[in-house]
Amino acid sequence: MIGELTSRQAVPPNGHTSLPQAGGLNRSQLQRLVRSGLLSREGSVLMPSAAARAWHRSGDPSLLIETLHINVRFVGEAMHALASAPLTHEQLLRLAREEYDLPWSTTGPVHNRTAWLSVTGMVDLFDRHLHLTDSGRDVLARLALGTPASDVSGVTTRLTPATGAVADLIDSLNETELRARADGANLYIPGTSANGGSLDALHMLTEAAIPSISDTDFVRFVRANFPKARTAATARTAKEALKALGLIRRTSSKTWSATPGAIAWIDSGEALDLARTVHASIAFFGEILGELDATGRLTTGALAERSVLYLPNRQRPLSRAAINTRLNLLEACGLVSRLSQTVCRTTPLGLAFKDSLPCLRPEDALPDRPTDTGAGYDPSGRPDADRQGSFPGDDIATELEGAARDSPNHKRLEKAAVAALGYLGLPGEHVGGSGHVDGRVRFGIGAGSAILGVEAKSAANGRVVEQPLFGLADHRAEIGAEVTLLIGPGFERRMLREADDDPAIAVIETGLLAEVVRRQEHTPLTLDQLAPLVDPALRAAQRREALSGYWQAQEIRGQLEYAIVDLLNAEAEDPLEEGGWLHLTSIRRELRSRGYRVGEDEVEEALAFLAWDRISVVQRSERGYRCTAGVHAAGMRIRALGRQWSAAAHHHEVRPSDQESRP
């Protein structure tokens, strides 16, 4: 196929009729060849890449495999796995999922790669096992391999620069323009696998508005070309989505036309131009790339919760459907990759793309974010009936972030740091004063606890310049501490290196500390899990990564518990199933069908928790497990436990005074 294309004339990437027929390939197939490094764009024309032409001229299959390995994940890595022992396709799939974080649910992607390796003589298939050939071993020796769970992506990190109207659009994005973008809360793109996906759907709909199209004709066009948009209301929703995405605009009371940015994208055929146009039009699009990069593996639900921090024009977060539409577009443009149905991560191309964009920061979107302790801040914008007063963690984190840059008032950060650590379960007190430690906190309970000294440094520009560290040992000796927690918004490179190299100093940036405090509300960590935050053996840059694994485990456990209750409820509602009982094996099978691949022990632990008599939403018997309450009731019972503890704490606090008042 590629050999045939290398001998053809150039392929126009945006030929309105010729592209889908070029080489017998549709647009999606051509895009995959571009991402594989076998086709390249030269101006507005698709050409065989230099690597593809070199392979075609030489006939050397190793050149093809080297090109594929550079641009496609799990090609050379599959060969490396086969170098140790022959493997089946199923075993390679398990390796790709477990060691390389590839979100594949079937062996299809593995078959695609091994088919290339087979036809080029790199592997041989017999006895249901793939065997690496001598030719494959020779090629493998020349490949630079990725490592398991790395951020290797199937796209190149070279950014195609924006041109024309798209470049003008990005250049115009100042903070005012970013804040004025549409919320993009109701985005419906009618593309399906049958017509090439969301990019092809947007391409087709945008082309229909060149040079213009009437309201009636647009609705008719959508209904005629997209089977799932047969109703006029659905077609109008698609039209409004194109408007929100910045691809069409009204030119009269009855007509629409493609925007200059959309026309520039159609002319270039470059997916990044579409992404730039969309970023300039709707809030929380390019910003998602930063969220995924900075915070770790956020789920769709977590992204929805955080979206309100970037939406200056509304008080509620986006729906999961709106987040999924954004993620689907980002994935189609090669900017994110999916690890599961609900978790994505930014690709190397996405990181480079994010750095090229002007983006809104949460503090820019919400300059008037409430911080007083009387009303509480809920990221969803909804009143929380379960809260008694405000969410203290958010107030503490907000104060910490503000104090970190309030350099004239250094005691403010000292007190805020001690309060933040206390909220996390490290009780202590502010000390302060010349020649003394700023604060003292305790990690652990009883004889096994340890005293930690707190030294807080604020800086108006966000970076603490070099300050002497030799006095910290005296401060530790003063309070009997073995470790100093050096807390600040950021540190000058030499100071950071010196502090990181000191075995008695743990450097903690206030941004990370604030994040940990906020996350305690939804993904609370135990004291043992918080140990990386104060471990002096870790460098400052390693702390977030060490904590991310615990956060992810908490999120996955919550999703697993919810999924179990949900599937048991579905079983109970099935009229063909008497009693709604499911055995553990059936529960695990149903969970796998929903994308949850977890071990038997994890499922049993979750079931035991849900069956605990203080929650009791799952019943166990010889017939298996069944639900005794709905999902909403289960959530209410779990939240009620927290309220009971709060009430008990309040009772404990007021009880002594009650006793004193007795005669």
Side-chain angles (χ1 to χ4, degrees):
M1 181 189 300
I2 303 302
E4 181 184 358
L5 280 177
T6 57
S7 60
R8 288 175 178 264
Q9 297 297 315
V11 181
N14 61 329
H16 303 319
T17 59
S18 61
L19 176 58
Q21 288 79 31
L25 304 176
N26 61 31
R27 182 178 299 276
S28 297
Q29 290 171 320
L30 287 171
Q31 288 171 342
R32 285 197 294 271
L33 291 175
V34 171
R35 291 195 295 268
S36 300
L38 300 175
L39 290 180
S40 62
R41 288 189 174 90
E42 298 183 11
S44 61
V45 175
L46 278 180
M47 299 285 292
S49 67
R53 290 195 295 268
W55 161 64
H56 183 63
R57 286 193 303 268
S58 68
D60 182 358
S62 67
L63 297 179
L64 172 61
I65 296 304
E66 289 175 5
T67 301
L68 290 173
H69 169 71
I70 290 171
N71 294 280
V72 179
R73 301 170 71 180
F74 204 65
V75 173
E77 290 75 17
M79 296 171 64
H80 177 67
L82 295 173
S84 301
L87 298 172
T88 65
H89 287 98
E90 290 75 15
Q91 289 170 327
L92 279 176
L93 172 63
R94 190 178 304 114
L95 177 75
R97 289 178 57 86
E98 295 177 356
E99 296 194 22
Y100 290 88
D101 264 352
L102 292 169
W104 298 339
S105 57
T106 70
T107 56
V110 176
H111 277 285
N112 291 339
R113 286 156 175 78
T114 57
W116 283 105
L117 296 173
S118 179
V119 298
T120 54
M122 302 295 119
V123 302
D124 192 12
L125 174 63
F126 56 91
D127 294 336
R128 295 187 64 251
H129 284 70
L130 293 153
H131 301 252
L132 191 66
T133 64
D134 291 339
S135 297
R137 293 180 186 278
D138 291 340
V139 173
L140 177 62
R142 303 199 298 268
L143 301 181
L145 298 175
T147 57
S150 67
D151 284 332
V152 179
S153 173
V155 295
T156 124
T157 57
R158 184 180 64 84
L159 280 181
T160 303
T163 58
V166 176
D168 295 339
L169 201 58
I170 295 300
D171 289 342
S172 69
L173 287 180
N174 53 31
E175 184 176 326
T176 301
E177 292 295 325
L178 288 169
R179 289 170 57 85
R181 291 176 298 174
D183 290 344
N186 300 303
L187 300 174
Y188 169 64
I189 301 173
T192 65
S193 57
N195 57 40
S198 56
L199 291 192
D200 276 356
L202 293 177
H203 195 283
M204 183 186 301
L205 293 171
T206 303
E207 278 190 325
I210 300 175
S212 66
I213 191 171
S214 68
D215 274 306
T216 304
D217 287 343
F218 196 99
V219 171
R220 186 181 298 116
F221 181 84
V222 174
R223 297 177 67 182
N225 287 277
F226 298 95
K228 293 186 178 181
R230 294 296 190 189
T231 67
T234 305
R236 285 193 292 269
T237 302
K239 180 184 64 182
E240 291 302 318
L242 255 70
K243 175 187 176 183
L245 294 172
L247 300 178
I248 62 173
R249 62 182 179 180
R250 275 204 175 276
T251 50
S252 74
S253 60
K254 296 182 179 180
T255 60
W256 297 82
S257 292
T259 63
I263 293 173
W265 165 53
I266 295 295
D267 288 341
S268 71
E270 174 56 61
L272 294 186
D273 282 340
L274 170 65
R276 294 178 178 112
T277 302
V278 172
H279 174 71
S281 305
I282 63 171
F284 200 51
F285 185 72
E287 289 83 359
I288 287 180
L289 302 173
E291 280 289 312
L292 293 174
D293 177 44
T295 316
R297 296 180 185 175
L298 292 180
T299 63
T300 304
L303 284 172
E305 289 181 4
R306 289 191 61 79
S307 68
V308 75
L309 304 177
Y310 296 85
L311 300 169
N313 305 318
R314 63 189 277 127
Q315 297 301 314
R316 293 183 302 168
L318 295 170
S319 66
R320 294 191 183 196
I323 296 296
N324 265 323
T325 301
R326 286 163 164 80
L327 290 173
N328 289 339
L329 277 176
L330 290 167
E331 182 183 19
C333 294
L335 303 175
V336 304
S337 61
R338 284 195 179 271
L339 302 179
S340 69
Q341 291 180 338
T342 60
V343 179
C344 293
R345 69 177 172 196
T346 309
T347 65
L349 179 64
L351 295 177
F353 183 73
K354 175 204 69 173
D355 292 339
S356 73
L357 293 176
C359 290
L360 201 62
R361 298 174 299 174
E363 57 266 34
D364 295 332
L366 296 175
D368 300 321
R369 182 176 175 180
T371 58
D372 63 276
T373 58
Y377 172 71
D378 180 1
S380 69
R382 298 185 298 270
D384 188 342
D386 297 326
R387 283 202 179 102
Q388 299 177 357
S390 66
F391 161 34
D394 188 76
D395 298 331
I396 291 170
T398 301
E399 170 60 16
L400 181 69
E401 292 167 331
R405 292 175 179 265
D406 188 8
S407 53
N409 185 5
H410 60 89
K411 287 188 177 181
R412 182 184 173 192
L413 179 59
E414 296 170 6
K415 295 177 180 178
V418 171
L421 293 167
Y423 180 78
L424 297 176
L426 282 70
E429 60 182 344
H430 171 247
V431 180
S434 178
H436 298 287
V437 70
D438 294 337
R440 172 177 53 203
V441 297
R442 181 162 55 92
F443 185 90
I445 300 294
S449 63
I451 300 298
L452 309 177
V454 176
E455 300 287 350
K457 308 296 180 183
S458 55
N461 64 357
R463 189 173 297 276
V464 179
V465 297
E466 187 165 352
Q467 295 187 17
L469 303 177
F470 57 83
L472 301 187
D474 294 336
H475 291 178
R476 289 194 296 272
E478 177 188 1
I479 60 172
E482 296 181 1
V483 173
T484 294
L485 305 181
L486 182 60
I487 300 173
F491 297 89
E492 185 269 336
R493 183 180 301 174
R494 284 177 295 179
M495 182 181 179
L496 177 61
R497 186 186 306 116
E498 181 183 352
D500 268 341
D501 289 343
D502 192 317
I505 296 178
V507 181
I508 306 173
E509 294 186 357
T510 52
L512 174 61
L513 183 56
E515 180 183 352
V516 177
V517 167
R518 287 194 176 100
R519 278 179 173 264
Q520 283 296 96
E521 174 75 356
H522 301 290
T523 51
L525 302 184
T526 65
L527 202 60
D528 286 343
Q529 292 169 335
L530 285 169
L533 181 68
V534 298
D535 185 356
L538 292 177
R539 306 185 81 80
Q542 298 172 319
R543 299 191 191 283
R544 177 178 278 106
E545 182 180 355
L547 293 167
S548 292
Y550 293 121
W551 285 328
Q552 183 186 7
Q554 287 273 18
E555 291 170 354
I556 292 174
R557 180 60 181 266
Q559 294 165 12
L560 175 63
E561 291 163 355
Y562 181 94
I564 289 174
V565 175
D566 188 49
L567 71 87
L568 288 176
N569 267 271
E571 187 73 10
E573 295 293 335
D574 189 339
L576 300 179
E577 298 295 336
E578 182 180 352
W581 295 95
L582 279 180
H583 286 288
L584 179 61
T585 301
S586 299
I587 292 174
R588 292 188 64 202
R589 184 185 303 116
E590 290 293 328
L591 288 170
R592 283 197 298 271
S593 71
R594 297 182 177 210
Y596 294 92
R597 293 186 175 272
V598 290
E600 183 175 312
D601 291 345
E602 295 172 85
V603 177
E604 286 187 320
E605 286 177 6
L607 286 165
F609 171 71
L610 295 169
W612 179 40
D613 59 4
R614 294 269 282 156
I615 299 174
S616 193
V617 297
V618 167
Q619 180 183 0
R620 181 180 181 179
S621 78
E622 293 180 355
R623 302 175 65 185
Y625 298 87
R626 71 172 180 179
C627 257
T628 58
V631 173
H632 175 72
M636 290 294 291
R637 291 183 191 179
I638 293 171
R639 287 193 292 271
L641 296 178
R643 291 196 298 271
Q644 289 177 5
W645 276 72
S646 296
H650 177 70
H651 175 74
H652 178 76
E653 291 172 359
V654 302
R655 189 174 178 181
S657 60
D658 290 343
Q659 291 176 336
E660 290 172 6
S661 63
R662 292 177 182 175

